[in-house]
Amino acid sequence: MVSCPHRISGVSRFAPVVPAALLVLALTSCTGAPGGGGVHGTPGGTGVRDPYFPKAGNGGYDVGHYALDLTYDPARHHLTGTAEITAKAAEDLSAFDLDLKGLTVEAVTVEGSPARFHRAGQELTVRPRRDLDRGETFRVTVRYAGTPLTLTDPDGSQEGWLRTADGALALGEPTGSMTWYPGNHHPSDKASYDISVTVPKELTAVSNGELRGETTHDGTRTFVWHTAEPMASYVTTLAIGRFDVSRPTVGRRRLPAYVAVDPVSAADSEEVLGRLPEIMDWLELNLGPYPFSSTGVIVDREDDAGYALETQNRPVFPGPTDIRTLVHELAHQWFGDSVTPKSWRDMWLNESFATYAEWLWFEDHGGDTAQETFEELYDHGEDEYEDLWDFPPAEPSSAAHISDSPVYQRGAMVLHRIRQTVGDDAFYDIVQGWATAHRHGNADTDDFTAFVERQAPDEDFAGVWEDWLYGDGKPGRP
C-alpha cells in the first residue's frame, strides 16, 4: 500500500493500490531519487487533455529539438532507433512522460545519467536521477528497437508505420508518429528536427526539411535530414523505398525542392508535378511568402496509403495525384504546418483554408468561381457529401469525424462568407495576415475569429460565427 499523494493536472489524488511492477516508481516518488535530498517536483501530465485525443502529448515540458538516428531493415521489418530529445521543463518535475506506441525501450538517460523508466500503453514514463527544475533545459536519450506498428484511426484509416512494396512509409496524423519515435506527440508542441536514416544501399530515405548528407558504407546508405523551422510531430514523415529524385527550384524565391517519385508512379505523375513551380508561384501570390526553406513532394505507390497528407516541406501522395489535391496539400504548408492548431478541435483551420485554396485555384484558372462553388454546395452539397450539415466545422462530433465533410467543405464555406462580408481586398489581407501573425506557431478558433474581427472592425460577423461556424444544421441562405 502506497499512500503518498501525486498530482495529475493539478488535482491531488491517492493511489490505494499499486501493481508490483510500479512499486519502485511509486516509492521513489515519495523518498526521492538516489543521492537526492527529496522530491520537490511532481510528475508531468500523461496527456494535454485534447478534446478528441486526451492521452496525446504530455504535460510539464516543451520540446525544442529532436535528433533521431534510425536504421531500418525492410527484409526483417525491424527498426532500431536512438532519439535524443532536448526540452525545457515548464514546472519542477520528478518524472515526465513521452508518447511511444510499441517498440522495445532498451535504455533511457537524462543529461547522460541512466534513468528509470516504465511502459504503460502509449506512455513511456521517465524518472531522472534528480528532479528537474522549472525552466531547466534537459536532454533525454531513448534507445529502442523492434517492429513498428500500424495504427487504425477512429475514422478507420491507417497511419503510423506502413509497410510498402519496397520499404516503408511513416504518416502521423493524428497520432501515428509515436509508432516510430518517442516524443511529445501533440500539435501544440512543435520542434526542430534532425533525422538520420540508414537503409539498404539500393533504397532512398526521404524525410522533412533539407538533405544535409548522404553516405554509403558496408551495403547501406545513410541520409541526414534537417528541419530548422518548428514542426508538429504529426507532419513528420519518412518514406523508404526506390525513388526517382529530382531537385528543381520553384516559387517566387527560387526555393530548393526535393521531389521523390516511386518509379511505378513516375510516368503518370510527370504532367501534374511539372506544374509545381506554377502552383508555388500562385500560392505565394495569394497566401503570402512560403513559410519554409524548402519544398517538394513524395509520390509513392497507389496501394501504399489510402490518402494524401500535408507532411511538412513535402506532402505525401499515394500514387499519381491531380492538380486539385496538389494545390490542397501545398496550401497546408501555410495552414496546418506553419499555422498549426492548438488542439484537434481546431482541425477546420487546416482543412478550410486548404479546401478554399482549391476553390480559388479553379476560379483563377478558368473553372467555377468560388461563389459558384459555394452556391452549388449550398443547393446540392448533400448529393456528394451526405454529412455536410451533420455538425458545425468548429465542433466535430467525435474523434472519428475530425476529417469529415463539415470540417473541409463547410469550413471553406465559412471562409467564403467572410469574403462576402469584407470584400476581396480585405479578405486577402486577412488570409495573408493570419498566416503571418501565427507563422510557425499554434492558434485556435477563438484566435481566428478575434483576428478577423480586428482586421475588419466595422463589419458584423455574428451571423457568420453563429450560423456557419458553430450553428447546427443547414444555415439559412445568405
Side-chain angles (χ1 to χ4, degrees):
M1 182 74 69
V2 177
S3 60
C4 60
H6 60 286
R7 191 175 71 190
I8 302 177
S9 294
V11 179
S12 182
R13 300 185 180 181
F14 289 82
V17 178
V18 178
L22 298 180
L23 189 57
V24 172
L25 282 174
L27 289 174
T28 301
S29 70
C30 297
T31 61
V39 170
H40 66 271
T42 57
T46 58
V48 296
R49 303 301 184 261
D50 185 275
Y52 299 107
F53 299 92
K55 297 295 287 183
N58 301 283
Y61 65 92
D62 295 303
V63 177
H65 184 70
Y66 291 91
L68 308 179
D69 188 356
L70 309 173
T71 299
Y72 182 61
D73 181 355
R76 295 191 300 130
H77 190 30
H78 185 83
L79 178 69
T80 302
T82 299
E84 183 179 281
I85 303 165
T86 303
K88 184 176 182 179
E91 59 188 77
D92 293 339
L93 290 174
S94 61
F96 58 89
D97 280 35
L98 300 169
D99 299 313
L100 182 65
K101 187 73 171 178
L103 302 169
T104 299
V105 175
E106 299 172 346
V108 179
T109 64
V110 177
E111 286 297 290
S113 297
R116 295 185 177 96
F117 63 90
H118 172 72
R119 303 292 302 279
Q122 71 183 53
E123 301 298 326
L124 168 61
T125 303
V126 178
R127 185 171 298 282
R129 290 179 62 87
R130 63 167 183 83
D131 285 6
L132 301 170
D133 296 327
R134 180 179 180 179
E136 178 180 355
T137 298
F138 63 95
R139 184 182 71 258
V140 54
T141 302
V142 181
R143 291 196 298 108
Y144 57 98
T147 300
L149 299 177
T150 300
L151 305 182
T152 300
D153 286 343
D155 67 3
S157 61
Q158 291 192 319
E159 58 168 316
W161 194 272
L162 310 178
R163 296 189 73 174
T164 64
D166 55 358
L169 177 62
L171 299 176
E173 186 178 309
T175 62
S177 49
M178 66 180 174
T179 65
W180 57 286
Y181 66 96
N184 200 19
H185 291 294
H186 187 266
S188 59
D189 193 1
K190 301 167 72 171
S192 59
Y193 281 76
D194 285 293
I195 301 177
S196 173
V197 190
T198 300
V199 296
K201 67 178 182 180
E202 66 273 14
L203 302 182
T204 299
V206 186
S207 191
N208 310 88
E210 290 79 56
L211 182 62
R212 288 293 180 86
E214 180 181 336
T215 58
T216 303
H217 179 73
D218 286 343
T220 64
R221 279 204 294 174
T222 299
F223 298 81
V224 180
W225 293 90
H226 174 71
T227 303
E229 299 92 353
M231 178 165 62
S233 64
Y234 80 92
V235 288
T236 58
T237 192
L238 180 56
I240 298 170
R242 292 176 172 84
F243 292 101
D244 295 337
V245 174
S246 61
R247 303 188 187 189
T249 55
V250 302
R252 301 164 72 86
R253 292 185 290 126
R254 309 305 296 164
L255 289 163
Y258 190 99
V259 178
V261 183
D262 189 295
V264 172
S265 301
D268 291 336
S269 299
E270 186 174 358
E271 181 178 353
V272 170
L273 295 186
R275 300 186 71 178
L276 180 62
E278 174 191 358
I279 293 171
M280 288 296 296
D281 276 345
W282 180 86
L283 288 169
E284 287 201 282
L285 178 65
N286 287 274
L287 308 184
Y290 180 69
F292 303 113
S293 51
S294 68
T295 186
V297 169
I298 299 170
V299 180
D300 227 313
R301 304 186 187 188
E302 291 185 7
D303 295 335
D304 289 342
Y307 52 91
L309 188 63
E310 64 269 22
T311 45
Q312 190 160 304
N313 302 101
R314 53 191 51 83
V316 171
F317 300 90
T321 189
D322 56 22
I323 287 290
R324 178 184 297 274
T325 308
L326 184 56
V327 168
H328 182 104
E329 303 304 339
L330 288 172
H332 270 308
Q333 304 303 304
W334 283 259
F335 305 108
D337 294 11
S338 176
V339 184
T340 303
K342 289 181 180 177
S343 82
W344 288 109
R345 175 179 285 138
D346 306 303
M347 179 83 157
W348 84 278
L349 288 172
N350 298 7
E351 301 302 344
S352 63
F353 276 99
T355 301
Y356 200 68
E358 300 174 31
W359 297 15
L360 294 175
W361 170 269
F362 287 109
E363 180 175 82
D364 287 352
H365 292 83
D368 289 345
T369 66
Q371 178 65 25
E372 289 170 335
T373 302
F374 178 92
E375 291 175 354
E376 178 66 20
L377 269 175
Y378 187 87
D379 292 334
H380 307 292
E382 299 95 327
D383 295 343
E384 183 175 358
Y385 308 105
E386 294 181 359
D387 62 342
L388 182 60
W389 309 110
D390 282 3
F391 58 83
E395 293 182 341
S397 53
S398 72
H401 298 291
I402 63 171
S403 295
D404 283 5
S405 302
V407 173
Y408 287 66
Q409 305 301 328
R410 186 171 168 183
M413 296 176 87
V414 171
L415 297 184
H416 191 70
R417 290 290 293 116
I418 296 171
R419 182 182 177 187
Q420 289 176 321
T421 301
V422 302
D424 280 7
D425 289 346
F427 176 74
Y428 282 100
D429 286 344
I430 288 172
V431 170
Q432 296 184 19
W434 174 249
T436 300
H438 294 278
R439 181 183 175 98
H440 302 317
N442 294 85
D444 62 17
T445 301
D446 287 345
D447 294 325
F448 178 71
T449 56
F451 180 85
V452 172
E453 290 172 355
R454 287 196 304 272
Q455 295 298 109
D458 296 330
E459 303 294 346
D460 182 5
F461 295 96
V464 178
W465 308 147
E466 292 170 8
D467 298 337
W468 291 87
L469 185 57
Y470 286 108
D472 292 323
K474 186 175 182 177
R477 179 178 290 277

